[in-house]
Amino acid sequence: MIDELRAIEADAVAQIAGTETLEALGELQRDLLGKTSALGGLKKTLGSLEPDARREAGLVMNEVSEALRGAFETKKNELEALERLARAEAERLDLTEVRTSLDGGHLHLVTQTIEELEDVFVGLGFSVAEGPEVEDDWHNFTALNFGQYHPARDMQDTFFVGLGGPKEVVMRTHTSPVQIRVMEGQEPPIYSIMPGRVYRNEATDSTHLAVFHQLECLVIDRGITFAHLAGTIDRFTKAYFGAGWTSRLRPSYFPFTEPSAEFDIQRPDGTWLELGGCGMVHPNVLSNCGIDPEEFSGFAFGFGLDRLAATRHGVSDLRELASTDIRFLEQF
Ligand code: DAH
Protein backbone atom coordinates (compact mmCIF):
# COMPACT_ATOMS: atom_id res chain seq x y z
CA MET A 1 0.00 0.00 0.00
CA ILE A 2 2.75 2.40 0.97
CA ASP A 3 4.70 1.68 -2.19
CA GLU A 4 1.55 2.21 -4.18
CA LEU A 5 0.97 5.56 -2.49
CA ARG A 6 4.52 6.72 -3.18
CA ALA A 7 4.15 5.66 -6.82
CA ILE A 8 0.90 7.63 -7.11
CA GLU A 9 2.63 10.66 -5.58
CA ALA A 10 5.61 10.53 -7.99
CA ASP A 11 3.34 10.13 -11.01
CA ALA A 12 1.00 12.92 -9.87
CA VAL A 13 3.83 15.38 -9.20
CA ALA A 14 5.19 14.77 -12.72
CA GLN A 15 1.74 15.30 -14.26
CA ILE A 16 1.18 18.53 -12.31
CA ALA A 17 4.57 19.87 -13.36
CA GLY A 18 3.77 19.18 -17.01
CA THR A 19 0.41 21.03 -17.02
CA GLU A 20 0.25 24.17 -19.16
CA THR A 21 -3.14 25.74 -18.56
CA LEU A 22 -5.28 26.55 -15.54
CA GLU A 23 -8.14 24.64 -17.13
CA ALA A 24 -6.09 21.45 -17.52
CA LEU A 25 -4.84 21.88 -13.96
CA GLY A 26 -8.42 21.97 -12.66
CA GLU A 27 -9.23 18.75 -14.50
CA LEU A 28 -6.10 17.06 -13.24
CA GLN A 29 -6.98 18.06 -9.69
CA ARG A 30 -10.36 16.32 -10.03
CA ASP A 31 -8.70 13.23 -11.54
CA LEU A 32 -5.97 12.93 -8.92
CA LEU A 33 -7.69 13.98 -5.70
CA GLY A 34 -11.37 13.16 -6.37
CA LYS A 35 -13.36 10.22 -4.98
CA THR A 36 -12.87 8.13 -8.12
CA SER A 37 -9.09 8.78 -8.22
CA ALA A 38 -6.52 6.06 -7.45
CA LEU A 39 -5.88 7.83 -4.15
CA GLY A 40 -9.60 7.86 -3.37
CA GLY A 41 -9.79 4.15 -4.16
CA LEU A 42 -6.94 3.32 -1.75
CA LYS A 43 -8.58 5.45 0.93
CA LYS A 44 -11.61 3.15 0.75
CA THR A 45 -9.49 0.00 1.25
CA LEU A 46 -7.73 1.51 4.28
CA GLY A 47 -10.41 0.13 6.62
CA SER A 48 -9.61 -3.45 5.69
CA LEU A 49 -5.97 -3.28 6.93
CA GLU A 50 -4.65 -4.44 10.30
CA PRO A 51 -4.61 -1.58 12.89
CA ASP A 52 -0.80 -1.03 12.80
CA ALA A 53 -0.56 -1.20 9.02
CA ARG A 54 -3.65 1.05 8.79
CA ARG A 55 -2.09 3.72 11.03
CA GLU A 56 1.13 3.69 9.03
CA ALA A 57 -0.63 3.76 5.65
CA GLY A 58 -2.98 6.50 6.90
CA LEU A 59 -0.03 8.72 7.83
CA VAL A 60 1.60 8.26 4.40
CA MET A 61 -1.75 8.86 2.70
CA ASN A 62 -2.10 12.20 4.51
CA GLU A 63 1.45 13.11 3.55
CA VAL A 64 0.82 12.32 -0.10
CA SER A 65 -2.48 14.28 -0.15
CA GLU A 66 -0.73 17.27 1.46
CA ALA A 67 2.15 17.09 -1.01
CA LEU A 68 -0.22 16.98 -3.99
CA ARG A 69 -2.32 19.89 -2.71
CA GLY A 70 0.89 21.90 -2.28
CA ALA A 71 2.04 21.02 -5.80
CA PHE A 72 -1.33 22.09 -7.23
CA GLU A 73 -1.22 25.39 -5.33
CA THR A 74 2.30 26.21 -6.55
CA LYS A 75 1.46 25.35 -10.13
CA LYS A 76 -1.75 27.38 -9.98
CA ASN A 77 0.12 30.51 -8.84
CA GLU A 78 2.68 30.02 -11.54
CA LEU A 79 0.07 29.65 -14.32
CA GLU A 80 -1.93 32.65 -13.04
CA ALA A 81 1.16 34.84 -13.12
CA LEU A 82 1.89 33.74 -16.68
CA GLU A 83 -1.69 34.47 -17.69
CA ARG A 84 -1.52 38.00 -16.21
CA LEU A 85 1.68 38.65 -18.11
CA ALA A 86 0.14 37.41 -21.36
CA ARG A 87 -2.92 39.63 -20.84
CA ALA A 88 -0.76 42.70 -20.12
CA GLU A 89 1.27 42.00 -23.22
CA ALA A 90 -1.88 41.64 -25.35
CA GLU A 91 -3.34 44.91 -24.02
CA ARG A 92 -0.18 46.94 -24.41
CA LEU A 93 -0.52 50.20 -26.39
CA ASP A 94 2.17 51.38 -28.70
CA LEU A 95 2.74 54.91 -27.44
CA THR A 96 5.42 55.57 -30.01
CA GLU A 97 2.89 55.29 -32.80
CA VAL A 98 3.15 58.43 -34.92
CA ARG A 99 0.04 59.98 -36.32
CA THR A 100 0.65 60.88 -39.92
CA SER A 101 -2.77 62.05 -41.09
CA LEU A 102 -3.19 65.77 -41.79
CA ASP A 103 -6.00 66.33 -39.27
CA GLY A 104 -3.63 65.88 -36.32
CA GLY A 105 -4.71 69.12 -34.65
CA HIS A 106 -2.69 72.16 -33.63
CA LEU A 107 -2.19 74.58 -30.77
CA HIS A 108 -5.17 76.67 -29.65
CA LEU A 109 -5.24 80.29 -30.79
CA VAL A 110 -4.60 81.55 -27.25
CA THR A 111 -1.62 79.21 -26.83
CA GLN A 112 -0.24 80.37 -30.16
CA THR A 113 -0.61 83.97 -28.97
CA ILE A 114 1.23 83.22 -25.71
CA GLU A 115 4.07 81.55 -27.60
CA GLU A 116 4.38 84.42 -30.08
CA LEU A 117 4.48 87.00 -27.27
CA GLU A 118 7.05 84.92 -25.39
CA ASP A 119 9.22 85.00 -28.49
CA VAL A 120 8.88 88.79 -28.73
CA PHE A 121 9.83 89.34 -25.07
CA VAL A 122 12.61 86.76 -25.03
CA GLY A 123 13.98 88.66 -28.02
CA LEU A 124 13.99 91.80 -25.83
CA GLY A 125 15.98 89.97 -23.13
CA PHE A 126 13.17 88.85 -20.81
CA SER A 127 12.79 85.46 -19.14
CA VAL A 128 9.46 83.63 -18.74
CA ALA A 129 8.06 82.72 -15.30
CA GLU A 130 4.93 80.91 -14.14
CA GLY A 131 2.92 80.68 -10.94
CA PRO A 132 0.02 78.64 -9.55
CA GLU A 133 -3.59 79.27 -10.59
CA VAL A 134 -4.79 78.51 -7.06
CA GLU A 135 -3.30 81.34 -4.98
CA ASP A 136 -3.27 82.53 -1.42
CA ASP A 137 -4.54 85.91 -0.31
CA TRP A 138 -1.00 87.15 0.33
CA HIS A 139 0.19 86.76 -3.26
CA ASN A 140 -3.08 87.64 -5.02
CA PHE A 141 -3.93 90.70 -2.88
CA THR A 142 -2.08 91.58 0.33
CA ALA A 143 1.50 91.66 -0.96
CA LEU A 144 0.22 93.69 -3.93
CA ASN A 145 -0.80 96.44 -1.51
CA PHE A 146 -4.57 95.81 -1.75
CA GLY A 147 -6.10 97.32 1.38
CA GLN A 148 -8.06 94.90 3.50
CA TYR A 149 -11.37 96.32 2.25
CA HIS A 150 -10.47 96.79 -1.41
CA PRO A 151 -13.57 95.99 -3.53
CA ALA A 152 -11.62 93.57 -5.73
CA ARG A 153 -11.51 91.16 -2.78
CA ASP A 154 -15.29 91.10 -2.84
CA MET A 155 -17.27 88.00 -3.76
CA GLN A 156 -18.27 89.76 -6.99
CA ASP A 157 -14.86 89.27 -8.55
CA THR A 158 -13.13 86.44 -6.80
CA PHE A 159 -13.69 82.71 -6.83
CA PHE A 160 -12.77 81.42 -3.39
CA VAL A 161 -11.49 77.91 -2.84
CA GLY A 162 -12.65 75.89 0.16
CA LEU A 163 -9.16 75.50 1.62
CA GLY A 164 -7.54 77.12 4.66
CA GLY A 165 -9.36 79.88 6.54
CA PRO A 166 -12.30 81.85 5.10
CA LYS A 167 -11.34 83.65 1.86
CA GLU A 168 -7.72 82.63 2.33
CA VAL A 169 -7.33 80.66 -0.92
CA VAL A 170 -8.52 82.00 -4.27
CA MET A 171 -8.43 81.23 -7.97
CA ARG A 172 -5.99 83.95 -8.99
CA THR A 173 -7.85 86.97 -10.36
CA HIS A 174 -4.82 88.24 -12.31
CA THR A 175 -1.23 87.26 -13.14
CA SER A 176 0.19 89.99 -10.86
CA PRO A 177 0.70 87.51 -7.96
CA VAL A 178 3.41 85.90 -10.08
CA GLN A 179 5.31 89.23 -9.79
CA ILE A 180 5.38 88.66 -6.02
CA ARG A 181 6.57 85.08 -6.44
CA VAL A 182 9.33 86.15 -8.82
CA MET A 183 10.52 88.94 -6.48
CA GLU A 184 10.38 86.61 -3.45
CA GLY A 185 12.44 84.01 -5.30
CA GLN A 186 15.09 86.09 -6.98
CA GLU A 187 17.29 89.14 -6.41
CA PRO A 188 17.09 92.08 -8.83
CA PRO A 189 17.83 92.73 -11.63
CA ILE A 190 14.58 91.14 -12.79
CA TYR A 191 13.32 91.20 -16.38
CA SER A 192 10.46 88.70 -16.53
CA ILE A 193 7.15 88.03 -18.24
CA MET A 194 4.47 85.83 -16.71
CA PRO A 195 1.69 84.53 -18.95
CA GLY A 196 -1.18 82.47 -17.57
CA ARG A 197 -4.83 81.71 -16.95
CA VAL A 198 -6.87 83.83 -14.55
CA TYR A 199 -10.37 83.62 -13.05
CA ARG A 200 -13.09 86.20 -12.33
CA ASN A 201 -16.46 85.55 -10.81
CA GLU A 202 -18.50 87.43 -13.41
CA ALA A 203 -21.12 86.75 -16.07
CA THR A 204 -19.72 85.91 -19.48
CA ASP A 205 -20.71 87.75 -22.64
CA SER A 206 -19.14 88.47 -25.99
CA THR A 207 -16.44 90.67 -24.42
CA HIS A 208 -16.01 88.99 -20.99
CA LEU A 209 -14.93 85.53 -19.94
CA ALA A 210 -14.85 84.14 -16.39
CA VAL A 211 -11.70 82.21 -17.26
CA PHE A 212 -9.25 84.10 -19.44
CA HIS A 213 -5.55 84.80 -19.92
CA GLN A 214 -3.17 87.60 -19.05
CA LEU A 215 0.45 88.41 -19.61
CA GLU A 216 2.35 90.20 -16.87
CA CYS A 217 5.64 92.00 -17.30
CA LEU A 218 7.99 92.98 -14.47
CA VAL A 219 11.26 94.88 -14.51
CA ILE A 220 13.22 95.65 -11.31
CA ASP A 221 16.65 97.21 -11.50
CA ARG A 222 18.59 100.28 -10.42
CA GLY A 223 17.45 103.53 -12.03
CA ILE A 224 14.31 102.24 -13.81
CA THR A 225 11.96 105.09 -14.77
CA PHE A 226 8.54 105.64 -16.29
CA ALA A 227 10.28 106.27 -19.62
CA HIS A 228 11.53 102.65 -19.60
CA LEU A 229 7.93 101.51 -19.08
CA ALA A 230 6.53 103.58 -21.95
CA GLY A 231 9.40 102.55 -24.21
CA THR A 232 9.02 98.83 -23.47
CA ILE A 233 5.27 98.92 -24.17
CA ASP A 234 5.87 100.70 -27.46
CA ARG A 235 8.66 98.30 -28.49
CA PHE A 236 6.54 95.26 -27.78
CA THR A 237 3.50 96.75 -29.59
CA LYS A 238 5.55 97.28 -32.73
CA ALA A 239 7.34 93.92 -32.47
CA TYR A 240 4.09 92.01 -32.08
CA PHE A 241 1.66 93.95 -34.29
CA GLY A 242 3.93 95.72 -36.74
CA ALA A 243 5.63 99.06 -37.28
CA GLY A 244 2.37 100.86 -38.08
CA TRP A 245 1.02 100.39 -34.52
CA THR A 246 1.58 102.78 -31.61
CA SER A 247 0.67 102.92 -27.91
CA ARG A 248 -0.44 105.50 -25.37
CA LEU A 249 -0.74 105.71 -21.58
CA ARG A 250 -3.66 107.23 -19.62
CA PRO A 251 -3.49 108.02 -15.88
CA SER A 252 -5.23 105.41 -13.75
CA TYR A 253 -5.07 103.69 -10.37
CA PHE A 254 -3.83 100.28 -9.20
CA PRO A 255 -2.88 99.59 -5.58
CA PHE A 256 0.40 97.95 -6.58
CA THR A 257 1.75 100.71 -8.82
CA GLU A 258 2.43 104.41 -8.26
CA PRO A 259 2.03 106.23 -10.55
CA SER A 260 -0.36 103.97 -12.48
CA ALA A 261 -1.66 104.10 -16.02
CA GLU A 262 -3.78 102.23 -18.47
CA PHE A 263 -2.39 101.59 -21.88
CA ASP A 264 -4.06 101.43 -25.26
CA ILE A 265 -2.66 100.48 -28.63
CA GLN A 266 -3.54 102.20 -31.87
CA ARG A 267 -4.32 100.21 -34.99
CA PRO A 268 -2.96 101.47 -38.31
CA ASP A 269 -6.53 102.64 -39.13
CA GLY A 270 -6.33 105.04 -36.17
CA THR A 271 -8.77 103.23 -33.81
CA TRP A 272 -7.68 102.42 -30.24
CA LEU A 273 -7.82 99.17 -28.30
CA GLU A 274 -7.73 99.25 -24.47
CA LEU A 275 -5.20 96.63 -23.55
CA GLY A 276 -4.14 96.68 -19.91
CA GLY A 277 -2.73 98.37 -16.84
CA CYS A 278 0.76 99.42 -15.88
CA GLY A 279 2.84 101.60 -13.61
CA MET A 280 5.90 101.96 -11.43
CA VAL A 281 6.01 99.17 -8.84
CA HIS A 282 4.76 100.61 -5.52
CA PRO A 283 7.48 100.89 -2.82
CA ASN A 284 5.25 98.90 -0.43
CA VAL A 285 5.21 96.01 -2.92
CA LEU A 286 9.01 96.04 -3.16
CA SER A 287 9.32 96.07 0.65
CA ASN A 288 6.78 93.22 0.94
CA CYS A 289 9.13 91.13 -1.21
CA GLY A 290 12.29 92.07 0.67
CA ILE A 291 13.57 94.49 -2.00
CA ASP A 292 14.87 97.87 -0.85
CA PRO A 293 12.82 100.62 -2.59
CA GLU A 294 15.64 103.08 -1.90
CA GLU A 295 18.01 101.03 -4.00
CA PHE A 296 15.74 99.55 -6.67
CA SER A 297 12.81 100.72 -8.74
CA GLY A 298 10.79 99.01 -11.40
CA PHE A 299 7.77 98.95 -13.64
CA ALA A 300 5.08 96.40 -14.34
CA PHE A 301 2.30 95.94 -16.80
CA GLY A 302 -0.37 93.35 -17.44
CA PHE A 303 -2.92 92.82 -20.18
CA GLY A 304 -5.55 90.39 -21.41
CA LEU A 305 -4.48 87.94 -24.09
CA ASP A 306 -7.87 86.68 -25.23
CA ARG A 307 -9.04 90.10 -26.34
CA LEU A 308 -5.70 90.71 -28.02
CA ALA A 309 -5.88 87.46 -30.00
CA ALA A 310 -9.55 88.04 -30.84
CA THR A 311 -8.82 91.52 -32.20
CA ARG A 312 -5.94 90.38 -34.28
CA HIS A 313 -7.90 87.47 -35.78
CA GLY A 314 -11.31 89.14 -36.15
CA VAL A 315 -13.08 86.97 -33.55
CA SER A 316 -16.16 88.97 -32.50
CA ASP A 317 -17.29 86.82 -29.55
CA LEU A 318 -14.70 85.90 -26.89
CA ARG A 319 -16.78 82.90 -25.84
CA GLU A 320 -15.73 81.22 -29.09
CA LEU A 321 -12.25 80.92 -27.59
CA ALA A 322 -13.61 78.56 -24.95
CA SER A 323 -15.63 76.50 -27.41
CA THR A 324 -14.75 73.03 -28.60
CA ASP A 325 -16.34 73.56 -32.01
CA ILE A 326 -13.82 72.17 -34.44
CA ARG A 327 -15.15 74.40 -37.26
CA PHE A 328 -14.07 77.43 -35.20
CA LEU A 329 -10.84 75.96 -33.85
CA GLU A 330 -9.42 74.75 -37.14
CA GLN A 331 -9.48 78.25 -38.65
CA PHE A 332 -6.38 79.29 -36.72
N1 DAH B 1 -3.48 93.04 -12.59
C1 DAH B 1 -4.25 94.09 -13.24
C2 DAH B 1 -5.61 93.57 -13.65
O1 DAH B 1 -5.79 92.39 -13.77
C3 DAH B 1 -3.54 94.59 -14.48
C4 DAH B 1 -2.26 95.30 -14.15
C5 DAH B 1 -2.24 96.63 -13.86
C6 DAH B 1 -1.07 94.63 -14.12
C7 DAH B 1 -1.10 97.33 -13.56
C8 DAH B 1 0.12 95.28 -13.80
C9 DAH B 1 0.09 96.63 -13.53
O2 DAH B 1 1.29 94.68 -13.78
O3 DAH B 1 1.23 97.29 -13.24
O4 DAH B 1 -6.50 94.34 -13.84
Side-chain angles (χ1 to χ4, degrees), residues 163-181:
L163 287 172
K167 300 191 174 180
E168 213 167 72
V169 181
V170 305
M171 297 310 292
R172 67 179 178 196
T173 57
H174 50 177
T175 43
S176 302
V178 192
Q179 286 187 31
I180 302 299
R181 292 188 175 274

Side-chain angles (χ1 to χ4, degrees), residues 144 146 173-177 179 198 200 212 214-218 254 256-257 260-261 276-281 299-303:
L144 286 163
F146 278 82
T173 57
H174 50 177
T175 43
S176 302
Q179 286 187 31
V198 300
R200 297 271 173 94
F212 55 105
Q214 290 186 334
L215 188 137
E216 196 82 13
C217 176
L218 176 71
F254 296 100
F256 40 94
T257 42
S260 303
C278 63
M280 301 306 290
V281 179
F299 67 76
F301 60 86
F303 57 89

Side-chain angles (χ1 to χ4, degrees), residues 261-316:
E262 262 164 83
F263 68 95
D264 312 324
I265 56 174
Q266 190 177 34
R267 305 183 184 88
D269 69 5
T271 58
W272 291 94
L273 172 67
E274 279 184 29
L275 210 54
C278 63
M280 301 306 290
V281 179
H282 197 291
N284 290 352
V285 174
L286 294 175
S287 303
N288 286 340
C289 301
I291 294 173
D292 181 2
E294 298 294 326
E295 186 179 359
F296 292 101
S297 59
F299 67 76
F301 60 86
F303 57 89
L305 293 175
D306 308 77
R307 209 169 281 176
L308 185 84
T311 312
R312 186 160 145 183
H313 294 276
V315 176
S316 53

Side-chain angles (χ1 to χ4, degrees), residues 85-279:
L85 255 183
R87 204 178 320 130
E89 190 62 29
E91 289 173 356
R92 192 155 106 174
L93 296 176
D94 181 3
L95 298 180
T96 63
E97 195 178 336
V98 177
R99 190 155 171 193
T100 50
S101 62
L102 291 175
D103 60 350
H106 58 74
L107 295 178
H108 188 273
L109 175 56
V110 172
T111 311
Q112 290 179 33
T113 306
I114 291 176
E115 293 197 347
E116 256 180 77
L117 287 167
E118 284 178 358
D119 284 349
V120 167
F121 280 98
V122 167
L124 295 173
F126 286 77
S127 59
V128 182
E130 284 184 347
E133 292 175 21
V134 179
E135 258 303 3
D136 51 33
D137 178 273
W138 167 257
H139 291 93
N140 198 78
F141 293 127
T142 304
L144 286 163
N145 203 34
F146 278 82
Q148 179 138 30
Y149 300 104
H150 194 284
R153 291 173 180 239
D154 198 275
M155 294 290 277
Q156 294 297 93
D157 301 306
T158 309
F159 284 117
F160 294 97
V161 179
L163 287 172
K167 300 191 174 180
E168 213 167 72
V169 181
V170 305
M171 297 310 292
R172 67 179 178 196
T173 57
H174 50 177
T175 43
S176 302
V178 192
Q179 286 187 31
I180 302 299
R181 292 188 175 274
V182 167
M183 287 188 276
E184 283 172 341
Q186 165 189 351
E187 306 268 312
I190 294 169
Y191 292 80
S192 276
I193 58 158
M194 298 142 256
R197 191 177 291 135
V198 300
Y199 301 79
R200 297 271 173 94
N201 187 4
E202 57 187 359
T204 57
D205 59 33
S206 64
T207 56
H208 294 89
L209 295 175
V211 180
F212 55 105
H213 301 78
Q214 290 186 334
L215 188 137
E216 196 82 13
C217 176
L218 176 71
V219 168
I220 308 285
D221 207 339
R222 292 185 177 82
I224 297 294
T225 71
F226 205 86
H228 295 118
L229 166 61
T232 304
I233 287 179
D234 208 56
R235 273 292 291 277
F236 126 74
T237 304
K238 289 180 165 53
Y240 180 65
F241 287 97
W245 293 62
T246 54
S247 60
R248 74 176 173 196
L249 305 178
R250 284 177 290 115
S252 186
Y253 170 79
F254 296 100
F256 40 94
T257 42
E258 180 59 35
S260 303
E262 262 164 83
F263 68 95
D264 312 324
I265 56 174
Q266 190 177 34
R267 305 183 184 88
D269 69 5
T271 58
W272 291 94
L273 172 67
E274 279 184 29
L275 210 54
C278 63

Side-chain angles (χ1 to χ4, degrees), residues 44-83:
K44 279 182 207 138
T45 65
L46 211 55
S48 62
L49 296 180
E50 291 300 314
D52 279 353
R54 195 196 308 157
R55 197 175 312 115
E56 204 184 335
L59 278 175
V60 175
M61 186 168 294
N62 281 345
E63 261 177 48
V64 171
S65 305
E66 260 328 282
L68 294 192
R69 258 188 277 279
F72 273 115
E73 190 59 32
T74 308
K75 189 69 186 178
K76 186 164 166 249
N77 289 338
E78 185 184 310
L79 290 175
E80 279 175 351
L82 280 175
E83 198 165 273

